[in-house]
Structures are given as C-alpha cells and as structure tokens.
Amino acid sequence: MDSMYYHIVPPEVSPTAQNTLNFDNYTDPDDLPPKNDSLLFDTFVSLLIEVSTEQLKNVKSNIMNTYDLHRSDVADVKMAFKDIEDKYTDIITTKLKTMLDGKPINITDHFMIDFMDVSNYILEKVLRYHIKNVKGKIESPTKWYRETLKEKILRQQTKIAFNYVENSVCETLQVCRDRYYYSDYLADWLRTLMNVTPRDLKRFFIPITDVLERHKYFIKSNIKFRQTIKYIINADAIVKRDTLDFLDEILTNPDKVLKSVPHGLKPSVTLLRELFSIIDGVYDVNDQNIEQLENITEMLRDWIEGNSFDVHKVLNAIVDNIRVNLQIWPLDIQNKIYYVWSEILVL
C-alpha cells in the first residue's frame, strides 16, 4: 500500500476512532463465537465495503453535478477521485486483518456498529485526502459559514454517505444504531433528503405551503415566514440542500454551528436549538411513535431507491405525529414550545 495512505490513515486508527472499538470483547480461544456469528460478520464486512465504495462513487458524482462547479473544477475532481474506491478497500481490509490477527472476537451488534464507525472514519479520511489538492471555485468562501465550499462539500457528503451506509446495514442485517430521541429520526430524514436530485428536492419543498395552510391552526406563521418558505422553494437546489444541512447542524453540532454562522443567523440557531431540545426532552420514543417515525423513514428511503412517493403524505404524517404528542405534554411544555416558535417567527 502507498506510504501516503499510511500517512493519512495509519495502520492504527486514530485514538478517537479506535476507542469506538470495544477490544474488551476479545474472548479466550475456548469461547469462540458460534459459526453463524462468524458468517454474519463476514456478510456484514462484505456489505459494509460494498455500500461504502458505492457511496464514494455517489460522493464523486454529487460533487461534480450538484455544486455548480466550473468545468475545469469538475475535471479536477474526476481526476482526483481516480481509484478512490480501491484505496478505501485496501485500507479497511488491512485494518481488519490487523485487528483480527490471531484474536478471536465476540461478534455482537455493538462491535459491528463500532467497526462501522471505524470504516466511516477511514472513508472520510480518504475522501479528504483525494479532494485536498482540488483548486478553483471549490476553494471559494460560502455565505452561511466561515468555511470554503470544499469544507462544506466534505461535511455534507460525509453526512450523506454515513447515513446511507448505516441505513443499508440496518435494513439488510438488522444491525442498527439505537435512536433515543426524536431528533435522531429528524437528522436521518434531513440527510436522506440531502441525497436526492435537485428535481426531487424541489418536489419535496413545493407542498410545504399547502401543508402549512392545512395545519394553519396548529403551525402558526406570518408573512415573513411564508415569504422565506417561498424563497427556498424557488431557490436553486444548493440553497435547499444548505437549508437541510443548516437544520442538521443545529441538531448534531449546535455549538460548532453557533460559532461559525454569520451574526445574523445566530438567533435562529439559538432558538431552533432550544425548540429541538424541548421536544427531545419530552418526546416519548415508545412503540406507537417508533412505528409512525419508522413509516416516515421507510417512505423517504423508498424514494431514494426510486419508488413512488407521496410528499404530502410524508409532510402531513410528520406534522400529525408532533401535534398528537404535543397535546399530551404538560401545559408548561406546550407554552414553552409555542413561545419559542413565536420568537422564531419574528426574527
């Protein structure tokens, strides 16, 4: 393997990523895992590598086609990503051999999820290495964050790739990451939508005005809010994707996004963060809610796979689920939510 790849991803994964692997799961030779566990792990590794390399191709296509790059930039990206799938595969298989060399392991769902995290870490590092020398428009600053377009692309595309990999492993092998909060589902939906085509992004946003009208007695709005929604609907796909990414960042990296956004957006970050925090604090992830949330998740994933999709049905299902839950929450919580939302509307 080329030494430069050991430089970006050394044989031993970084302490942060390596700590995610539970090496306490090693067992004595007399306690080898059942054969079916070994077969499951082999299937898991094969699927993980297949889906991850598929996503690297998807990332390359997305970068070339969805960020309005100059023709010369697209050519540079195409050249920079040559053989990237092979490099990822070489590194992950080498890491796996090193990790398993003569060491029986208790194959659990937790261990496989930890290994998937290591795989994602390697995928990101390989992606960063291959794009680092691409110049041109990709190095220009962005409007929403104190970062370059290249940094934004890396953030958005790794989110999309990681989410797709995790969902594929979950659906195929039922090896799934636990979801404890409403925001865990919401982040999944946002990242799934970030991965659709510009045409489908517009198709998703257009019905929002109809849904707001249908639920106008529940979702309060004003002229400015409705104008903002119309602006996003009519804007380019980049704006729509950035909007989804902005919401995702508030859910998953609120402190970071608060520091990096322009001053004018900081109140929005603070209030939306408070709103999501209140909802997460009271939302009961019980069997009934899980079923409804998973139905929404499945409809969105089916859309990604090219199946028929009713946007109104999905949006109304999201609103109805929150509305029904809000009605049973304590009155002081309801008042807090209405107050924060009213503050958002007047920004």
Side-chain angles (χ1 to χ4, degrees):
M1 191 180 304
D2 295 343
S3 59
M4 63 179 178
Y5 281 91
Y6 279 103
H7 180 69
I8 62 166
V9 184
E12 293 301 323
V13 183
S14 76
T16 301
Q18 184 164 310
N19 285 341
T20 64
L21 279 174
N22 186 1
F23 288 101
D24 292 336
N25 280 339
Y26 286 138
T27 61
D28 293 329
D30 293 335
D31 296 322
L32 288 173
K35 184 176 181 181
N36 62 329
D37 283 354
S38 298
L39 289 174
L40 172 61
F41 187 64
D42 289 343
T43 304
F44 162 76
V45 171
S46 177
L47 175 66
L48 180 62
I49 293 176
E50 177 185 349
V51 177
S52 296
T53 53
E54 175 187 313
Q55 281 307 293
L56 283 171
K57 294 177 183 177
N58 184 58
V59 168
K60 174 183 175 182
S61 176
N62 285 346
I63 295 175
M64 293 171 60
N65 298 311
T66 61
Y67 291 97
D68 195 26
L69 298 180
H70 299 145
R71 183 175 298 180
S72 58
D73 298 335
V74 171
D76 289 344
V77 170
K78 187 175 182 179
M79 180 63 66
F81 275 68
K82 184 179 180 181
D83 299 328
I84 188 173
E85 300 94 359
D86 293 336
K87 294 300 182 182
Y88 158 80
T89 303
D90 288 344
I91 295 170
I92 192 66
T93 52
T94 299
K95 176 60 186 174
L96 181 62
K97 289 177 182 178
T98 302
M99 186 184 73
L100 298 180
D101 186 23
K103 302 170 183 176
I105 294 178
N106 182 16
I107 307 300
T108 64
D109 285 3
H110 180 71
F111 179 84
M112 287 187 281
I113 289 173
D114 285 347
F115 186 75
M116 181 167 59
D117 287 339
V118 172
S119 171
N120 285 342
Y121 168 84
I122 293 172
L123 185 151
E124 179 181 2
K125 290 301 179 182
V126 171
L127 178 59
R128 285 185 178 277
Y129 180 84
H130 277 264
I131 202 174
K132 73 174 184 177
N133 292 323
V134 178
K135 308 295 182 182
K137 182 179 178 180
I138 202 170
E139 293 188 310
S140 61
T142 58
K143 294 180 180 179
W144 284 17
Y145 301 94
R146 297 187 182 95
E147 64 182 7
T148 64
L149 176 58
K150 182 186 293 186
E151 291 168 329
K152 182 181 81 170
I153 288 173
L154 284 167
R155 184 184 65 251
Q156 292 183 351
Q157 293 304 314
T158 51
K159 285 180 182 179
I160 290 170
F162 293 174
N163 196 58
Y164 190 91
V165 168
E166 292 178 9
N167 286 339
S168 296
V169 170
C170 180
E171 289 180 9
T172 306
L173 300 178
Q174 286 71 56
V175 177
C176 307
R177 197 182 300 278
D178 291 329
R179 294 180 176 178
Y180 299 105
Y181 301 103
Y182 178 81
S183 60
D184 293 334
Y185 290 90
L186 181 55
D188 178 21
W189 302 339
L190 292 170
R191 295 180 182 193
T192 298
L193 288 168
M194 286 170 63
N195 198 24
V196 303
T197 65
R199 177 176 175 272
D200 283 339
L201 262 183
K202 187 174 183 68
R203 182 184 166 202
F204 181 84
F205 273 88
I206 285 177
I208 290 178
T209 52
D210 294 337
V211 173
L212 288 174
E213 177 62 24
R214 175 178 176 178
H215 298 279
K216 62 183 178 181
Y217 297 111
F218 172 57
I219 305 176
K220 302 299 181 182
S221 66
N222 56 21
I223 293 176
K224 184 178 180 181
F225 180 75
R226 291 191 292 271
Q227 287 176 338
T228 300
I229 296 298
K230 288 181 180 179
Y231 164 75
I232 296 172
I233 290 172
N234 294 320
D236 293 336
I238 290 178
V239 174
K240 294 181 177 67
R241 191 171 289 105
D242 284 353
T243 301
L244 298 171
D245 182 32
F246 179 66
L247 292 173
D248 180 274
E249 284 293 287
I250 294 172
L251 289 173
T252 58
N253 295 300
D255 293 331
K256 180 180 178 181
V257 71
L258 188 61
K259 293 178 181 178
S260 61
V261 297
H263 182 74
L265 283 175
K266 291 184 185 296
S268 298
V269 174
T270 301
L271 288 170
L272 285 169
R273 178 183 184 180
E274 183 178 358
L275 178 65
F276 293 140
S277 178
I278 294 171
I279 293 174
D280 274 347
V282 293
Y283 191 96
D284 186 3
V285 186
N286 55 34
D287 290 344
Q288 182 178 357
N289 278 327
I290 289 174
E291 181 179 0
Q292 294 177 15
L293 299 177
E294 287 293 348
N295 284 339
I296 295 169
T297 300
E298 289 175 12
M299 285 189 283
L300 287 171
R301 291 179 188 171
D302 284 345
W303 192 24
I304 290 291
E305 300 300 329
N307 298 320
S308 59
F309 180 71
D310 187 335
V311 181
H312 285 83
K313 183 177 180 180
V314 170
L315 290 172
N316 284 316
I318 293 171
V319 175
D320 287 337
N321 176 266
I322 285 292
R323 179 178 52 79
V324 170
N325 278 277
L326 187 141
Q327 290 173 349
I328 63 174
W329 292 340
L331 186 59
D332 63 321
I333 296 296
Q334 295 184 39
N335 290 335
K336 283 183 181 179
I337 290 174
Y338 287 130
Y339 174 76
V340 174
W341 181 249
S342 67
E343 290 293 296
I344 292 172
L345 290 177
V346 299
L347 288 176

